[in-house]
Every structure is written in structure tokens, then in C-alpha cells.
Amino acid sequence: GAGVSQSPSNKVTEKGKDVELRCDPISGHTALYWYRQSLGQGLEFLIYFQGNSAPDKSGLPSDRFSAERTGGSVSTLTIQRTQQEDSAVYLCASSSGYRGPYGANVLTFGAGSRLTVL
Amino acid sequence: AQSVTQPDIHITVSEGASLELRCNYSYGATPYLFWYVQSPGQGLQLLLKYFSGDTLVQGIKGFEAEFKRSQSSFNLRKPSVHWSDAAEYFCAVGSFSGGYQKVTFGIGTKLQVIP
């Protein structure tokens, strides 16, 4: 697609329920990132995908969080047994994944999924 | 480990006044540096980036930033602020490690513009 698409844009859930957040990256982008944005905390890195594999999942805060990516495209972030501290905006970004001529490339972000856990 | 410090959480400026948002980074080698802007309810939009070359980089919306290696800084500037510039601004540092690009963001600076 033309941009990074995330759904749902807003999700309200009860404590203890599972939620799935979806990210559809820019077509052809092989790298995909998930970040979490909590009030006053900036952007916290969660996980990175290159293709379908996740070489860096060091930012996942607990084993309740998991993510997968299929077909080198769509990614799903799953939070099991949600807690109130999981309330945040979850941002997805994608990039070409290839080291450009200057050694880096730009991340393009989606609008985010706002999760509220009651 | 790389890190970014944005020392100002909130800044208020008058419309038409000049603006400087501070950013300091920590990284051992030459970093890749970014400034992003986030309007309410929106994702992050790239304002400008520094990868190499000229240390003064121009971005969209009249913004510029200067990379100063000696000070480990990448401050964002605009000569005359418009009310539409009210938003949150994030500085970020990137590097390649283990074959992938790691991008670390600062905590953000929220800009308020008053008439």
C-alpha cells in the first residue's frame, strides 16, 4: 500500500482479555518495527522483523507479548491477559530493510493503535 | 548502547518567534540521526535526517538541524514558528548492528505555540 496501515485505530478491552493489533507495511518493505508509546515515556522499542523472522525481540516487556509476520508482509502483535499497564499507543513502522548508500534508511510510521485496558 | 536525550519535555513559544529543540545522543561511531514530528492522533512524520556530509540539514516545513559531533548534539531549529507547528517532536539515533538497523527514540518534546 501507499502507507503503513494499522488496525484497529482504537481498542478498549477488559483486563485479562487478549488483543491483537495488526500492521500492514508499505509494499516491498522488508523491515518492520513495533514500538509502544506510553504517556511521558517516548517510544519504546518492542520487536523488529526482517522478512518473516524476528532477529531482535529484546523489547517485548513480558511473555504475554508476542508478534508474528507472515508472507513478509502483515504483522500481528498479540497481548495476552492484558493488564492496565499495557494501555498505550502501539506504533508500527516499516523500511526498505536494505542498507542504503549512506548506510541507513528511513522508518515510515503508521497512525498507531490506541489500546485502553479497563 | 545508543541513547537519545531530549532535555525539554515541554516548550512554549510565541507565534513568529524562533525555535530550538535540543537533542543529545550517545553512540560510539558516526550516528544516523532523525527528527520526527507527531501531531495529535497521528503517527510520526519524518522532518529531516542526517546520514553523512553537510552537517546542516534542511527538512520539511522550514525546519533545519545541525549535527555537532563535538557536542553529540543534533538540535532542531526553525526561524519563525507557526501555530500549526504545535506538536510533539522526537529525536532519534540509528545504527546498524548484527545486520539490522536499530532506531532509538528520545522521550519527545511537546511544543505549544501561543498567539
Side-chain angles (χ1 to χ4, degrees):
Chain A
V4 178
S5 178
Q6 292 188 247
S7 61
S9 55
N10 275 287
K11 176 72 175 178
V12 179
T13 190
E14 294 178 348
K15 179 181 171 181
K17 295 287 179 73
D18 297 352
V19 297
E20 286 189 350
L21 307 177
R22 174 189 167 107
C23 174
D24 199 344
I26 290 173
S27 179
H29 277 190
T30 60
L32 186 147
Y33 300 75
W34 283 99
Y35 288 86
R36 179 168 70 174
Q37 185 178 21
S38 306
L39 200 61
Q41 297 298 313
L43 272 71
E44 174 190 7
F45 169 79
L46 297 178
I47 189 169
Y48 160 82
F49 286 92
Q50 179 61 40
N52 289 338
S53 64
D56 189 349
K57 52 181 79 171
S58 63
L60 294 177
S62 75
D63 58 8
R64 295 187 294 105
F65 287 72
S66 63
E68 65 174 11
R69 189 178 184 192
T70 55
S73 181
V74 173
S75 175
T76 302
L77 177 69
T78 301
I79 309 173
Q80 295 179 310
R81 306 181 302 282
T82 52
Q83 304 293 313
Q84 287 183 331
E85 61 263 28
D86 299 334
S87 296
V89 176
Y90 291 82
L91 291 165
C92 175
S94 70
S95 76
S96 69
Y98 299 104
R99 197 159 182 170
Y102 301 106
N105 43 63
V106 172
L107 272 61
T108 301
F109 282 84
S113 292
R114 180 177 297 277
L115 174 65
T116 303
V117 182
L118 303 178
Chain B
Q2 60 195 39
S3 65
V4 175
T5 301
Q6 293 182 248
D8 304 307
I9 305 298
H10 285 97
I11 281 187
T12 300
V13 299
S14 299
E15 191 169 15
S18 63
L19 172 70
E20 182 169 31
L21 302 183
R22 296 183 290 165
C23 172
N24 291 96
Y25 67 90
S26 174
Y27 180 64
T30 300
Y32 308 115
L33 297 162
F34 309 84
W35 275 99
Y36 282 83
V37 60
Q38 185 181 37
S39 298
Q42 303 295 313
L44 275 71
Q45 179 185 20
L46 180 73
L47 278 177
L48 47 77
K49 64 186 185 292
Y50 171 79
F51 286 172
S52 68
D54 193 345
T55 56
L56 183 64
V57 294
Q58 303 297 320
I60 61 171
K61 304 184 181 186
F63 285 91
E64 67 177 26
E66 187 170 12
F67 169 54
K68 293 186 177 180
R69 184 188 303 275
S70 61
Q71 298 176 19
S72 298
S73 69
F74 189 56
N75 294 348
L76 182 71
R77 301 193 293 250
K78 186 170 185 178
S80 178
V81 169
H82 188 263
W83 64 267
S84 60
D85 294 324
E88 191 156 19
Y89 292 80
F90 292 90
C91 181
V93 61
S95 64
F96 269 88
S97 174
Y100 98 92
Q101 179 172 289
K102 184 180 179 79
V103 183
T104 303
F105 287 82
I107 199 168
T109 297
K110 188 164 285 188
L111 174 66
Q112 181 182 10
V113 180
I114 56 177

mmCIF file of all heavy atoms in Angstrom, chain B residues 52-95:
data_model
loop_
_atom_site.group_PDB
_atom_site.id
_atom_site.type_symbol
_atom_site.label_atom_id
_atom_site.label_comp_id
_atom_site.label_asym_id
_atom_site.label_seq_id
_atom_site.Cartn_x
_atom_site.Cartn_y
_atom_site.Cartn_z
ATOM 1 N N SER B 52 25.191 11.598 6.415
ATOM 2 C CA SER B 52 26.598 11.937 6.213
ATOM 3 C C SER B 52 26.645 13.274 5.490
ATOM 4 O O SER B 52 25.610 13.820 5.108
ATOM 5 C CB SER B 52 27.326 10.860 5.402
ATOM 6 O OG SER B 52 26.848 10.849 4.071
ATOM 7 N N GLY B 53 27.872 13.796 5.316
ATOM 8 C CA GLY B 53 28.033 15.004 4.517
ATOM 9 C C GLY B 53 27.801 16.266 5.303
ATOM 10 O O GLY B 53 28.189 16.374 6.479
ATOM 11 N N ASP B 54 27.172 17.238 4.665
ATOM 12 C CA ASP B 54 26.941 18.544 5.262
ATOM 13 C C ASP B 54 26.247 18.399 6.611
ATOM 14 O O ASP B 54 25.213 17.726 6.716
ATOM 15 C CB ASP B 54 26.085 19.390 4.332
ATOM 16 C CG ASP B 54 26.063 20.869 4.720
ATOM 17 O OD1 ASP B 54 26.475 21.185 5.862
ATOM 18 O OD2 ASP B 54 25.633 21.679 3.895
ATOM 19 N N THR B 55 26.806 19.024 7.618
ATOM 20 C CA THR B 55 26.261 18.844 8.973
ATOM 21 C C THR B 55 25.020 19.672 9.226
ATOM 22 O O THR B 55 24.350 19.482 10.247
ATOM 23 C CB THR B 55 27.327 19.195 10.022
ATOM 24 O OG1 THR B 55 27.782 20.529 9.793
ATOM 25 C CG2 THR B 55 28.501 18.231 9.943
ATOM 26 N N LEU B 56 24.691 20.603 8.350
ATOM 27 C CA LEU B 56 23.455 21.370 8.455
ATOM 28 C C LEU B 56 22.477 20.795 7.444
ATOM 29 O O LEU B 56 22.725 20.836 6.240
ATOM 30 C CB LEU B 56 23.718 22.857 8.177
ATOM 31 C CG LEU B 56 22.518 23.786 8.335
ATOM 32 C CD1 LEU B 56 22.038 23.804 9.790
ATOM 33 C CD2 LEU B 56 22.868 25.198 7.884
ATOM 34 N N VAL B 57 21.403 20.239 7.941
ATOM 35 C CA VAL B 57 20.446 19.590 7.046
ATOM 36 C C VAL B 57 19.121 20.330 7.067
ATOM 37 O O VAL B 57 18.682 20.816 8.108
ATOM 38 C CB VAL B 57 20.233 18.105 7.430
ATOM 39 C CG1 VAL B 57 21.510 17.322 7.193
ATOM 40 C CG2 VAL B 57 19.791 17.945 8.861
ATOM 41 N N GLN B 58 18.531 20.387 5.909
ATOM 42 C CA GLN B 58 17.241 21.055 5.754
ATOM 43 C C GLN B 58 16.144 19.999 5.699
ATOM 44 O O GLN B 58 16.332 18.913 5.150
ATOM 45 C CB GLN B 58 17.224 21.881 4.473
ATOM 46 C CG GLN B 58 18.321 22.924 4.389
ATOM 47 C CD GLN B 58 18.209 23.986 5.469
ATOM 48 O OE1 GLN B 58 17.120 24.438 5.801
ATOM 49 N NE2 GLN B 58 19.350 24.386 6.032
ATOM 50 N N GLY B 59 14.999 20.337 6.246
ATOM 51 C CA GLY B 59 13.886 19.410 6.237
ATOM 52 C C GLY B 59 12.622 20.060 5.704
ATOM 53 O O GLY B 59 12.652 21.131 5.117
ATOM 54 N N ILE B 60 11.520 19.405 5.961
ATOM 55 C CA ILE B 60 10.239 19.925 5.522
ATOM 56 C C ILE B 60 9.747 20.984 6.491
ATOM 57 O O ILE B 60 10.245 21.095 7.622
ATOM 58 C CB ILE B 60 9.197 18.800 5.376
ATOM 59 C CG1 ILE B 60 8.960 18.107 6.722
ATOM 60 C CG2 ILE B 60 9.657 17.784 4.332
ATOM 61 C CD1 ILE B 60 7.788 17.140 6.713
ATOM 62 N N LYS B 61 8.783 21.750 6.063
ATOM 63 C CA LYS B 61 8.088 22.742 6.898
ATOM 64 C C LYS B 61 9.035 23.821 7.422
ATOM 65 O O LYS B 61 8.747 24.445 8.449
ATOM 66 C CB LYS B 61 7.369 22.077 8.072
ATOM 67 C CG LYS B 61 6.392 20.994 7.658
ATOM 68 C CD LYS B 61 5.630 20.443 8.857
ATOM 69 C CE LYS B 61 4.691 19.343 8.427
ATOM 70 N NZ LYS B 61 3.823 18.863 9.520
ATOM 71 N N GLY B 62 10.149 24.063 6.751
ATOM 72 C CA GLY B 62 11.063 25.131 7.150
ATOM 73 C C GLY B 62 11.997 24.788 8.293
ATOM 74 O O GLY B 62 12.670 25.671 8.833
ATOM 75 N N PHE B 63 12.048 23.534 8.697
ATOM 76 C CA PHE B 63 12.936 23.106 9.780
ATOM 77 C C PHE B 63 14.339 22.788 9.268
ATOM 78 O O PHE B 63 14.520 22.377 8.125
ATOM 79 C CB PHE B 63 12.368 21.871 10.488
ATOM 80 C CG PHE B 63 11.207 22.159 11.388
ATOM 81 C CD1 PHE B 63 9.903 22.089 10.911
ATOM 82 C CD2 PHE B 63 11.414 22.514 12.717
ATOM 83 C CE1 PHE B 63 8.831 22.372 11.740
ATOM 84 C CE2 PHE B 63 10.350 22.788 13.555
ATOM 85 C CZ PHE B 63 9.043 22.721 13.058
ATOM 86 N N GLU B 64 15.318 22.980 10.140
ATOM 87 C CA GLU B 64 16.682 22.570 9.872
ATOM 88 C C GLU B 64 17.297 22.025 11.162
ATOM 89 O O GLU B 64 16.785 22.278 12.254
ATOM 90 C CB GLU B 64 17.539 23.737 9.353
ATOM 91 C CG GLU B 64 17.788 24.834 10.359
ATOM 92 C CD GLU B 64 18.695 25.925 9.820
ATOM 93 O OE1 GLU B 64 18.751 26.126 8.581
ATOM 94 O OE2 GLU B 64 19.343 26.582 10.637
ATOM 95 N N ALA B 65 18.353 21.275 11.016
ATOM 96 C CA ALA B 65 19.051 20.744 12.188
ATOM 97 C C ALA B 65 20.542 20.707 11.882
ATOM 98 O O ALA B 65 20.953 20.546 10.730
ATOM 99 C CB ALA B 65 18.546 19.351 12.552
ATOM 100 N N GLU B 66 21.326 20.846 12.924
ATOM 101 C CA GLU B 66 22.775 20.834 12.773
ATOM 102 C C GLU B 66 23.396 19.729 13.600
ATOM 103 O O GLU B 66 23.162 19.642 14.814
ATOM 104 C CB GLU B 66 23.379 22.170 13.178
ATOM 105 C CG GLU B 66 24.884 22.276 12.883
ATOM 106 C CD GLU B 66 25.421 23.677 13.057
ATOM 107 O OE1 GLU B 66 24.705 24.528 13.621
ATOM 108 O OE2 GLU B 66 26.561 23.903 12.623
ATOM 109 N N PHE B 67 24.180 18.897 12.969
ATOM 110 C CA PHE B 67 24.906 17.830 13.636
ATOM 111 C C PHE B 67 26.240 18.378 14.142
ATOM 112 O O PHE B 67 27.033 18.897 13.353
ATOM 113 C CB PHE B 67 25.150 16.671 12.661
ATOM 114 C CG PHE B 67 26.116 15.621 13.150
ATOM 115 C CD1 PHE B 67 25.923 14.997 14.365
ATOM 116 C CD2 PHE B 67 27.215 15.248 12.377
ATOM 117 C CE1 PHE B 67 26.798 14.022 14.811
ATOM 118 C CE2 PHE B 67 28.097 14.267 12.811
ATOM 119 C CZ PHE B 67 27.888 13.656 14.034
ATOM 120 N N LYS B 68 26.446 18.290 15.450
ATOM 121 C CA LYS B 68 27.711 18.721 16.041
ATOM 122 C C LYS B 68 28.330 17.531 16.762
ATOM 123 O O LYS B 68 27.912 17.186 17.891
ATOM 124 C CB LYS B 68 27.487 19.890 17.006
ATOM 125 C CG LYS B 68 27.036 21.169 16.309
ATOM 126 C CD LYS B 68 26.980 22.328 17.284
ATOM 127 C CE LYS B 68 26.596 23.625 16.571
ATOM 128 N NZ LYS B 68 26.530 24.779 17.495
ATOM 129 N N ARG B 69 29.328 16.952 16.127
ATOM 130 C CA ARG B 69 29.944 15.747 16.681
ATOM 131 C C ARG B 69 30.591 16.039 18.040
ATOM 132 O O ARG B 69 30.482 15.239 18.968
ATOM 133 C CB ARG B 69 30.995 15.206 15.717
ATOM 134 C CG ARG B 69 31.629 13.900 16.163
ATOM 135 C CD ARG B 69 32.795 13.541 15.256
ATOM 136 N NE ARG B 69 32.406 13.455 13.865
ATOM 137 C CZ ARG B 69 31.887 12.368 13.306
ATOM 138 N NH1 ARG B 69 31.707 11.284 14.040
ATOM 139 N NH2 ARG B 69 31.569 12.366 12.027
ATOM 140 N N SER B 70 31.235 17.194 18.144
ATOM 141 C CA SER B 70 31.966 17.515 19.380
ATOM 142 C C SER B 70 31.035 17.637 20.572
ATOM 143 O O SER B 70 31.443 17.429 21.718
ATOM 144 C CB SER B 70 32.750 18.813 19.204
ATOM 145 O OG SER B 70 31.870 19.889 18.935
ATOM 146 N N GLN B 71 29.786 17.975 20.312
ATOM 147 C CA GLN B 71 28.816 18.135 21.392
ATOM 148 C C GLN B 71 27.812 16.991 21.442
ATOM 149 O O GLN B 71 26.904 17.007 22.276
ATOM 150 C CB GLN B 71 28.070 19.464 21.217
ATOM 151 C CG GLN B 71 28.984 20.678 21.299
ATOM 152 C CD GLN B 71 28.250 21.985 21.035
ATOM 153 O OE1 GLN B 71 27.031 22.055 21.126
ATOM 154 N NE2 GLN B 71 29.001 23.030 20.700
ATOM 155 N N SER B 72 27.959 16.026 20.531
ATOM 156 C CA SER B 72 26.991 14.914 20.442
ATOM 157 C C SER B 72 25.560 15.453 20.397
ATOM 158 O O SER B 72 24.678 14.972 21.110
ATOM 159 C CB SER B 72 27.162 13.943 21.617
ATOM 160 O OG SER B 72 28.439 13.369 21.608
ATOM 161 N N SER B 73 25.372 16.464 19.551
ATOM 162 C CA SER B 73 24.053 17.085 19.504
ATOM 163 C C SER B 73 23.510 17.132 18.085
ATOM 164 O O SER B 73 24.255 17.071 17.100
ATOM 165 C CB SER B 73 24.122 18.504 20.083
ATOM 166 O OG SER B 73 24.851 19.364 19.227
ATOM 167 N N PHE B 74 22.218 17.251 18.031
ATOM 168 C CA PHE B 74 21.512 17.356 16.739
ATOM 169 C C PHE B 74 20.274 18.188 17.009
ATOM 170 O O PHE B 74 19.151 17.706 17.021
ATOM 171 C CB PHE B 74 21.168 15.957 16.220
ATOM 172 C CG PHE B 74 20.636 15.924 14.807
ATOM 173 C CD1 PHE B 74 21.357 16.478 13.756
ATOM 174 C CD2 PHE B 74 19.427 15.308 14.514
ATOM 175 C CE1 PHE B 74 20.883 16.438 12.445
ATOM 176 C CE2 PHE B 74 18.940 15.261 13.210
ATOM 177 C CZ PHE B 74 19.667 15.821 12.171
ATOM 178 N N ASN B 75 20.455 19.478 17.217
ATOM 179 C CA ASN B 75 19.365 20.369 17.599
ATOM 180 C C ASN B 75 18.538 20.789 16.401
ATOM 181 O O ASN B 75 19.065 21.058 15.321
ATOM 182 C CB ASN B 75 19.913 21.597 18.313
ATOM 183 C CG ASN B 75 20.545 21.256 19.648
ATOM 184 O OD1 ASN B 75 20.396 20.141 20.154
ATOM 185 N ND2 ASN B 75 21.266 22.203 20.211
ATOM 186 N N LEU B 76 17.255 20.874 16.619
ATOM 187 C CA LEU B 76 16.297 21.249 15.578
ATOM 188 C C LEU B 76 15.971 22.725 15.705
ATOM 189 O O LEU B 76 15.735 23.209 16.819
ATOM 190 C CB LEU B 76 15.022 20.407 15.729
ATOM 191 C CG LEU B 76 13.919 20.620 14.703
ATOM 192 C CD1 LEU B 76 14.329 20.052 13.351
ATOM 193 C CD2 LEU B 76 12.625 19.961 15.188
ATOM 194 N N ARG B 77 15.912 23.421 14.579
ATOM 195 C CA ARG B 77 15.652 24.863 14.619
ATOM 196 C C ARG B 77 14.630 25.253 13.562
ATOM 197 O O ARG B 77 14.487 24.594 12.521
ATOM 198 C CB ARG B 77 16.942 25.648 14.373
ATOM 199 C CG ARG B 77 18.047 25.376 15.370
ATOM 200 C CD ARG B 77 19.143 26.400 15.256
ATOM 201 N NE ARG B 77 19.858 26.313 13.986
ATOM 202 C CZ ARG B 77 21.109 25.899 13.866
ATOM 203 N NH1 ARG B 77 21.777 25.492 14.938
ATOM 204 N NH2 ARG B 77 21.700 25.882 12.694
ATOM 205 N N LYS B 78 13.942 26.360 13.885
ATOM 206 C CA LYS B 78 13.065 26.975 12.903
ATOM 207 C C LYS B 78 13.069 28.473 13.187
ATOM 208 O O LYS B 78 12.889 28.873 14.344
ATOM 209 C CB LYS B 78 11.645 26.410 12.969
ATOM 210 C CG LYS B 78 10.743 26.944 11.859
ATOM 211 C CD LYS B 78 9.421 26.196 11.776
ATOM 212 C CE LYS B 78 8.619 26.698 10.578
ATOM 213 N NZ LYS B 78 7.334 25.980 10.397
ATOM 214 N N PRO B 79 13.275 29.314 12.182
ATOM 215 C CA PRO B 79 13.416 30.747 12.441
ATOM 216 C C PRO B 79 12.126 31.436 12.868
ATOM 217 O O PRO B 79 12.178 32.401 13.638
ATOM 218 C CB PRO B 79 13.922 31.299 11.104
ATOM 219 C CG PRO B 79 13.641 30.257 10.088
ATOM 220 C CD PRO B 79 13.578 28.956 10.782
ATOM 221 N N SER B 80 10.981 30.945 12.411
ATOM 222 C CA SER B 80 9.723 31.590 12.742
ATOM 223 C C SER B 80 8.639 30.522 12.857
ATOM 224 O O SER B 80 8.268 29.894 11.865
ATOM 225 C CB SER B 80 9.356 32.626 11.671
ATOM 226 O OG SER B 80 8.109 33.217 11.954
ATOM 227 N N VAL B 81 8.127 30.354 14.060
ATOM 228 C CA VAL B 81 7.182 29.267 14.330
ATOM 229 C C VAL B 81 5.764 29.680 13.949
ATOM 230 O O VAL B 81 5.338 30.816 14.176
ATOM 231 C CB VAL B 81 7.249 28.903 15.829
ATOM 232 C CG1 VAL B 81 6.107 27.989 16.209
ATOM 233 C CG2 VAL B 81 8.573 28.221 16.127
ATOM 234 N N HIS B 82 5.039 28.736 13.390
ATOM 235 C CA HIS B 82 3.634 28.928 13.014
ATOM 236 C C HIS B 82 2.771 28.133 13.979
ATOM 237 O O HIS B 82 3.211 27.119 14.538
ATOM 238 C CB HIS B 82 3.441 28.462 11.570
ATOM 239 C CG HIS B 82 2.106 28.763 10.988
ATOM 240 N ND1 HIS B 82 1.087 27.833 10.948
ATOM 241 C CD2 HIS B 82 1.611 29.892 10.422
ATOM 242 C CE1 HIS B 82 0.029 28.367 10.375
ATOM 243 N NE2 HIS B 82 0.318 29.623 10.055
ATOM 244 N N TRP B 83 1.505 28.559 14.156
ATOM 245 C CA TRP B 83 0.629 27.859 15.095
ATOM 246 C C TRP B 83 0.498 26.381 14.731
ATOM 247 O O TRP B 83 0.342 25.526 15.604
ATOM 248 C CB TRP B 83 -0.767 28.511 15.140
ATOM 249 C CG TRP B 83 -1.528 28.439 13.854
ATOM 250 C CD1 TRP B 83 -1.562 29.374 12.862
ATOM 251 C CD2 TRP B 83 -2.332 27.352 13.390
ATOM 252 N NE1 TRP B 83 -2.341 28.954 11.827
ATOM 253 C CE2 TRP B 83 -2.836 27.721 12.115
ATOM 254 C CE3 TRP B 83 -2.699 26.106 13.914
ATOM 255 C CZ2 TRP B 83 -3.671 26.891 11.369
ATOM 256 C CZ3 TRP B 83 -3.533 25.278 13.188
ATOM 257 C CH2 TRP B 83 -4.008 25.667 11.920
ATOM 258 N N SER B 84 0.600 26.067 13.447
ATOM 259 C CA SER B 84 0.444 24.683 13.017
ATOM 260 C C SER B 84 1.646 23.809 13.401
ATOM 261 O O SER B 84 1.599 22.582 13.215
ATOM 262 C CB SER B 84 0.241 24.618 11.501
ATOM 263 O OG SER B 84 1.351 25.181 10.824
ATOM 264 N N ASP B 85 2.700 24.420 13.914
ATOM 265 C CA ASP B 85 3.860 23.635 14.351
ATOM 266 C C ASP B 85 3.659 23.013 15.723
ATOM 267 O O ASP B 85 4.495 22.203 16.162
ATOM 268 C CB ASP B 85 5.120 24.514 14.381
ATOM 269 C CG ASP B 85 5.550 24.984 13.002
ATOM 270 O OD1 ASP B 85 5.390 24.196 12.038
ATOM 271 O OD2 ASP B 85 6.034 26.123 12.882
ATOM 272 N N ALA B 86 2.581 23.360 16.402
ATOM 273 C CA ALA B 86 2.301 22.761 17.708
ATOM 274 C C ALA B 86 2.131 21.253 17.544
ATOM 275 O O ALA B 86 1.263 20.790 16.799
ATOM 276 C CB ALA B 86 1.046 23.377 18.302
ATOM 277 N N ALA B 87 2.974 20.499 18.209
ATOM 278 C CA ALA B 87 3.026 19.043 18.047
ATOM 279 C C ALA B 87 4.074 18.509 19.008
ATOM 280 O O ALA B 87 4.649 19.255 19.804
ATOM 281 C CB ALA B 87 3.395 18.677 16.612
ATOM 282 N N GLU B 88 4.320 17.215 18.915
ATOM 283 C CA GLU B 88 5.393 16.610 19.700
ATOM 284 C C GLU B 88 6.517 16.215 18.754
ATOM 285 O O GLU B 88 6.272 15.656 17.683
ATOM 286 C CB GLU B 88 4.893 15.396 20.483
ATOM 287 C CG GLU B 88 5.880 14.892 21.520
ATOM 288 C CD GLU B 88 5.222 14.129 22.647
ATOM 289 O OE1 GLU B 88 4.080 13.658 22.489
ATOM 290 O OE2 GLU B 88 5.866 13.994 23.716
ATOM 291 N N TYR B 89 7.735 16.495 19.164
ATOM 292 C CA TYR B 89 8.907 16.296 18.314
ATOM 293 C C TYR B 89 9.830 15.256 18.942
ATOM 294 O O TYR B 89 10.158 15.339 20.132
ATOM 295 C CB TYR B 89 9.645 17.623 18.117
ATOM 296 C CG TYR B 89 8.842 18.606 17.301
ATOM 297 C CD1 TYR B 89 7.821 19.347 17.888
ATOM 298 C CD2 TYR B 89 9.065 18.767 15.933
ATOM 299 C CE1 TYR B 89 7.046 20.227 17.140
ATOM 300 C CE2 TYR B 89 8.309 19.643 15.183
ATOM 301 C CZ TYR B 89 7.298 20.366 15.793
ATOM 302 O OH TYR B 89 6.534 21.236 15.034
ATOM 303 N N PHE B 90 10.229 14.309 18.124
ATOM 304 C CA PHE B 90 11.079 13.213 18.594
ATOM 305 C C PHE B 90 12.390 13.202 17.832
ATOM 306 O O PHE B 90 12.407 13.210 16.600
ATOM 307 C CB PHE B 90 10.388 11.863 18.396
ATOM 308 C CG PHE B 90 9.184 11.662 19.261
ATOM 309 C CD1 PHE B 90 7.926 12.037 18.822
ATOM 310 C CD2 PHE B 90 9.308 11.103 20.528
ATOM 311 C CE1 PHE B 90 6.800 11.859 19.626
ATOM 312 C CE2 PHE B 90 8.198 10.913 21.339
ATOM 313 C CZ PHE B 90 6.940 11.298 20.884
ATOM 314 N N CYS B 91 13.470 13.135 18.579
ATOM 315 C CA CYS B 91 14.796 12.941 18.018
ATOM 316 C C CYS B 91 15.122 11.453 18.108
ATOM 317 O O CYS B 91 14.697 10.770 19.061
ATOM 318 C CB CYS B 91 15.808 13.763 18.817
ATOM 319 S SG CYS B 91 17.510 13.665 18.248
ATOM 320 N N ALA B 92 15.840 10.929 17.127
ATOM 321 C CA ALA B 92 16.160 9.502 17.127
ATOM 322 C C ALA B 92 17.564 9.279 16.577
ATOM 323 O O ALA B 92 18.042 10.044 15.737
ATOM 324 C CB ALA B 92 15.147 8.718 16.300
ATOM 325 N N VAL B 93 18.193 8.225 17.064
ATOM 326 C CA VAL B 93 19.517 7.823 16.577
ATOM 327 C C VAL B 93 19.422 6.415 16.034
ATOM 328 O O VAL B 93 18.753 5.555 16.619
ATOM 329 C CB VAL B 93 20.577 7.929 17.701
ATOM 330 C CG1 VAL B 93 20.248 7.021 18.875
ATOM 331 C CG2 VAL B 93 21.957 7.620 17.161
ATOM 332 N N GLY B 94 20.065 6.182 14.904
ATOM 333 C CA GLY B 94 20.034 4.870 14.277
ATOM 334 C C GLY B 94 21.431 4.336 14.070
ATOM 335 O O GLY B 94 22.389 5.096 13.938
ATOM 336 N N SER B 95 21.529 3.028 14.053
ATOM 337 C CA SER B 95 22.806 2.376 13.774
ATOM 338 C C SER B 95 22.518 0.990 13.241
ATOM 339 O O SER B 95 21.430 0.452 13.451
ATOM 340 C CB SER B 95 23.643 2.273 15.054
ATOM 341 O OG SER B 95 23.001 1.433 15.991
#
